[in-house]
């Protein structure tokens, strides 16, 4: 690593109008580093690429999101989404939770409907980028399998009660 005096670095950043970009990337990297999906084993370059390419997406309370056909991992940055299956809330998706794993991994829509329980901000990370990160791809597969088991169990319980 190259060592340069902090004053020289600050001067370079200000002269090139990079302060806002650096702050934004640092904030996003900090968020992603605290998530289950991206919180380990990523190189600095990969962290920067994720932060640079993600897109914000905002939902109002009660707004539903349709992820079908969208090749993005949706990360809840703020707020909460509730997943409904057969009219019942079956999952609460809070800050740091990844969504849309079935679409990213298998080009198949996920189960249920996702509705914002409050004003929410999501970050859309391109699916191709996530698939190129082996540990993240593996974690998405684990998440997909866990959700499939949970939703299958819920459907069986509902069928048994009917």
């Amino acid at each position: 690593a190259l060592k340069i005096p902090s004053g020289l670095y600050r001067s370079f950043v200000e002269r090139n109008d990079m302060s806002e970009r650096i702050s934004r990337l640092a904030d996003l990297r900090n968020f992603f580093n605290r998530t289950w999906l991206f919180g380990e084993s990523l190189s600095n370059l990969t962290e920067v690429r994720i932060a640079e390419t993600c897109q914000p997406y905002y939902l109002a309370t009660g707004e539903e999101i349709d992820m079908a056909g969208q090749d993005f991992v949706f990360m809840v940055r703020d707020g909460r989404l509730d997943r409904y299956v057969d009219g019942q809330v079956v999952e609460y998706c809070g800050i740091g939770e990844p969504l849309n794993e079935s679409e990213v991994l298998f080009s198949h829509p996920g189960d249920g409907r996702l509705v914002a329980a409050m004003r929410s901000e999501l970050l859309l990370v391109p699916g191709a980028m996530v698939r190129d990160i082996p540990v993240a791809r593996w974690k998405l597969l684990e998440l997909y399998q866990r959700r499939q088991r949970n939703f299958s169990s819920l459907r069986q319980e509902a069928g048994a009660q009917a």
Side-chain angles (χ1 to χ4, degrees), residues 36-84:
W36 169 78
L37 184 61
F38 297 116
E40 61 181 86
S41 305
L42 298 184
S43 69
N44 285 331
L45 178 61
T46 300
E47 288 177 2
V48 169
R49 284 182 49 225
I50 292 169
E52 284 181 330
T53 60
C54 72
Q55 304 166 26
Y57 188 91
Y58 301 94
L59 295 166
T61 302
E63 189 175 348
E64 184 174 344
I65 184 167
D66 180 13
M67 298 181 187
Q70 297 199 46
D71 189 26
F72 294 98
V73 171
F74 291 70
M75 300 291 297
V76 180
R77 184 169 191 196
D78 193 33
R80 189 186 87 211
L81 278 71
D82 294 344
R83 186 183 305 267
Y84 289 84

